Amino acid sequence: MTDTPPDSLIPYDEIVQDALRAVVGRVLGQVEKNGLPGAHHFYITFKTHAPGVDIPRHLTERYPDEMTIVIQNRYWDLKVSAEGFEVGLSFNQIGSRLVIPFAAITAFHDPAVDFALHFSAQVEDHQPEEIATAENDPVIAKPVEDGSNVVSVDFTRKK
C-alpha cells in the first residue's frame, strides 16, 4: 500500500472555495437589501490585479498585490451580483468606486461575531514587497482570540 493519496479527478478544492465565496456573496446581498445589522462590519481582502477588479489607479499603485477594505460606517451604492460586488468607499476624503469579483477575494472577516473565511487566490500569485492596510473608514477592532469561529480554507492543488 502507498501512503500517498491518489490525485482526484474531481476538483473538490475549487468547489469548496466557490461555495465559501458564495457565503460572502449571500451576506453582502443581505447587507445590500437591509443595511448592516447591529455591530456587524466586514474586512475584505482581495487581489488588486485579479481579473475583473476595477479600482482607482492610485489604489493599485499603493497596494500592488492585496488590499483590505472595511465596510462599516461610510460606504455607499453596494451592489451585489453573482460574480462579485461593487461599493463606494472614501480614501483620504476622496470617494472611490470599487468593483471586486468574488474570485479575487482572499479573506473575509466580521469582527463583530469573530467570523472569518480565508481563500486560496484564484489568480497568479506574486509576492508583494509590502502590503499596507487600506485607510478607508477608521475602525475600532477588538483583538481576535485563538479558538474562535474562524474558518481557514487553504487548499493547494497537486500537479
Side-chain angles (χ1 to χ4, degrees):
M1 284 190 78
T2 175
D3 290 335
T4 308
D7 287 339
S8 176
L9 300 176
I10 299 172
Y12 288 111
D13 55 345
E14 292 175 21
I15 294 168
V16 170
Q17 292 281 311
D18 288 345
L20 291 174
R21 281 188 171 91
V23 170
V24 175
R26 187 169 173 184
V27 167
L28 290 176
Q30 289 178 355
V31 171
E32 175 187 22
K33 291 177 185 169
N34 306 316
L36 280 166
H40 290 277
H41 59 286
F42 312 127
Y43 292 92
I44 301 173
T45 303
F46 62 96
K47 295 289 189 180
T48 56
H49 289 288
V53 169
D54 184 10
I55 62 175
R57 190 168 131 196
H58 68 93
L59 293 176
T60 56
E61 289 171 354
R62 185 163 182 189
Y63 307 99
D65 182 52
E66 279 190 329
M67 179 178 179
T68 300
I69 59 171
V70 179
I71 297 179
Q72 184 176 20
N73 297 322
R74 289 190 254 162
Y75 71 93
W76 58 91
D77 295 335
L78 177 63
K79 294 179 182 146
V80 182
S81 70
E83 294 79 33
F85 69 99
E86 61 183 78
V87 66
L89 293 171
S90 179
F91 299 89
N92 296 324
Q93 307 300 323
I94 299 170
S96 301
R97 183 178 145 276
L98 290 77
V99 177
I100 304 166
F102 294 126
I105 296 174
T106 59
F108 174 87
H109 183 211
D110 182 349
V113 292
D114 204 16
F115 177 80
L117 296 170
H118 297 274
F119 306 100
S120 298
Q122 291 184 347
V123 297
E124 287 188 24
D125 208 8
H126 68 280
Q127 294 299 318
E129 293 177 18
E130 182 177 321
I131 297 174
T133 301
E135 297 173 1
N136 56 325
D137 298 334
V139 177
I140 300 172
K142 296 179 182 176
V144 177
E145 297 179 16
D146 290 338
S148 63
N149 291 335
V150 175
V151 177
S152 179
V153 179
D154 187 15
F155 296 103
T156 53
R157 174 175 271 210
K158 292 184 180 183
K159 294 188 180 196

